[in-house]
Amino acid sequence: MKKVIIFCILALSTLNLRAQEASDPKAIEIADKVMEAMGGKKAWDETRHITWNFFGARRLTWDKWTGNVRIDNLRDNSVILMNINTETGKLFKYGAEQTNADSLKKYMKQGKGAWINDSYWLTMPFKLRDNGVTLKYLGEAKTDAGKDAYLLQMTFKEVGNTPNNMYKILVEKDTNLMTQWSYFAKSTDEKPGFTRPWTEYKPYGKIILSGERGDRDLTEIKVFEALPESIYTDFKKPDFSKAKDFNKKKDKLEL
């Protein structure tokens, strides 16, 4: 059994490595500049707790180090407390904790799907060099705002819930920041499902993040150095007032 597991891990690692090897050197160079412009890989790795409001539908609180996630569904007051690595956790719905095994399995899967989607809308520029991502340099272009930019294409190799998706992103030459993105449901699609800005970057601790997406914004973004464990274990509405909030520190990253 152990041999089978090791083989599967090695096979997946090989696929991910091949996806990275298929990326254009120019695209990789630009992606690395994006990471540096947003604070750098070290700063991203050292960033622990992030919370944000996704379109007024959900508030997510994510411990990057442990994989613990709190999802407050704002439209029905349900709460999912889970670990995205183990896909296990607790569910509060219909005014009480739900313990049925089938229901928990269903909602843990939904919770992880929500985290995958919502965190990508917030942190995508930090994930350009993820395993399984193939980057292609498509030349120079202009953003809808008229800025000179590099055009990159992102496709995926057996990663995420929607591996057939494709993105085309624009990275401004002057700032090395991604400021526009286009989503394609399939890599064979000729026209994008949408094109939106990715702008109004602000400092959060050691990194910068953007919440401006045109007609759909991410709000209430905060980065915390530490949070009470109860935020990830207690269904009660979280109180961030006593948490160490990087957003209030004086040593913010300068833009």
Side-chain angles (χ1 to χ4, degrees), residues 180-226:
Q180 187 172 305
W181 67 325
S182 297
Y183 160 80
F184 298 78
K186 297 180 180 178
S187 59
T188 54
D189 290 350
E190 294 183 4
K191 295 183 179 180
F194 65 75
T195 295
R196 286 193 171 92
W198 194 294
T199 54
E200 295 189 15
Y201 284 88
K202 296 178 183 179
Y204 298 93
K206 298 178 181 180
I207 62 173
I208 61 173
L209 294 167
S210 154
E212 173 59 42
R213 304 289 179 270
D215 61 340
R216 291 193 173 189
D217 291 348
L218 307 176
T219 59
E220 302 175 58
I221 303 168
K222 291 184 178 182
V223 168
F224 295 95
E225 188 173 15

Side-chain angles (χ1 to χ4, degrees), residues 62-95:
W62 172 29
D63 183 343
K64 286 175 64 254
W65 294 6
T66 66
N68 289 333
V69 173
R70 177 190 185 98
I71 304 173
D72 291 279
N73 290 292
L74 306 177
R75 291 172 179 166
D76 65 3
N77 295 318
S78 64
V79 181
I80 295 174
L81 306 175
M82 69 175 299
N83 186 282
I84 56 171
N85 299 321
T86 64
E87 296 188 33
T88 58
K90 302 191 296 183
L91 169 68
F92 180 88
K93 194 172 178 66
Y94 309 122

Side-chain angles (χ1 to χ4, degrees), residues 14-214:
T14 302
L15 286 171
N16 289 338
L17 183 60
R18 286 175 180 170
Q20 278 289 298
E21 288 175 346
S23 296
D24 295 337
K26 178 71 172 178
I28 291 176
E29 177 187 347
I30 294 169
D32 288 343
K33 288 181 178 179
V34 171
M35 176 72 81
E36 287 305 310
M38 295 186 66
K41 186 178 187 304
K42 183 173 183 292
W44 171 244
D45 290 342
E46 291 175 350
T47 298
R48 183 166 184 178
H49 303 275
I50 306 176
T51 184
W52 70 102
N53 185 315
F54 184 77
F55 303 163
R58 293 182 288 268
R59 167 172 278 285
L60 292 91
T61 307
W62 172 29
D63 183 343
K64 286 175 64 254
W65 294 6
T66 66
N68 289 333
V69 173
R70 177 190 185 98
I71 304 173
D72 291 279
N73 290 292
L74 306 177
R75 291 172 179 166
D76 65 3
N77 295 318
S78 64
V79 181
I80 295 174
L81 306 175
M82 69 175 299
N83 186 282
I84 56 171
N85 299 321
T86 64
E87 296 188 33
T88 58
K90 302 191 296 183
L91 169 68
F92 180 88
K93 194 172 178 66
Y94 309 122
E97 181 174 358
Q98 305 298 311
T99 58
N100 178 272
D102 290 339
S103 291
L104 283 175
K105 184 176 180 180
K106 170 186 173 182
Y107 283 102
M108 293 306 111
K109 183 177 181 180
Q110 288 184 6
K112 184 169 183 177
W115 169 81
I116 289 173
N117 178 77
D118 300 2
S119 64
Y120 211 68
W121 275 75
L122 179 67
T123 67
M124 179 185 179
F126 283 109
K127 300 177 71 60
L128 298 180
R129 292 291 308 277
D130 276 5
N131 287 335
V133 174
T134 300
L135 296 174
K136 294 290 185 182
Y137 174 64
L138 301 182
E140 298 182 2
K142 283 187 179 291
T143 67
D144 288 348
K147 300 288 187 178
D148 292 329
Y150 301 111
L151 178 61
L152 301 184
Q153 173 185 286
M154 294 178 68
T155 52
F156 306 89
K157 185 70 174 180
E158 299 184 9
V159 293
N161 283 352
T162 52
N164 293 324
N165 288 174
M166 178 177 71
Y167 295 93
K168 291 185 179 180
I169 66 172
L170 287 170
V171 177
E172 289 190 14
K173 292 183 179 181
D174 290 345
T175 63
N176 289 320
L177 293 174
M178 172 183 140
T179 59
Q180 187 172 305
W181 67 325
S182 297
Y183 160 80
F184 298 78
K186 297 180 180 178
S187 59
T188 54
D189 290 350
E190 294 183 4
K191 295 183 179 180
F194 65 75
T195 295
R196 286 193 171 92
W198 194 294
T199 54
E200 295 189 15
Y201 284 88
K202 296 178 183 179
Y204 298 93
K206 298 178 181 180
I207 62 173
I208 61 173
L209 294 167
S210 154
E212 173 59 42
R213 304 289 179 270

Side-chain angles (χ1 to χ4, degrees), residues 240-254:
F240 295 105
S241 62
K242 296 180 181 179
K244 191 171 183 181
D245 184 352
F246 259 136
N247 305 278
K248 297 177 182 177
K249 290 171 70 72
K250 293 181 180 180
D251 56 342
K252 291 180 178 178
L253 180 72
E254 295 294 331

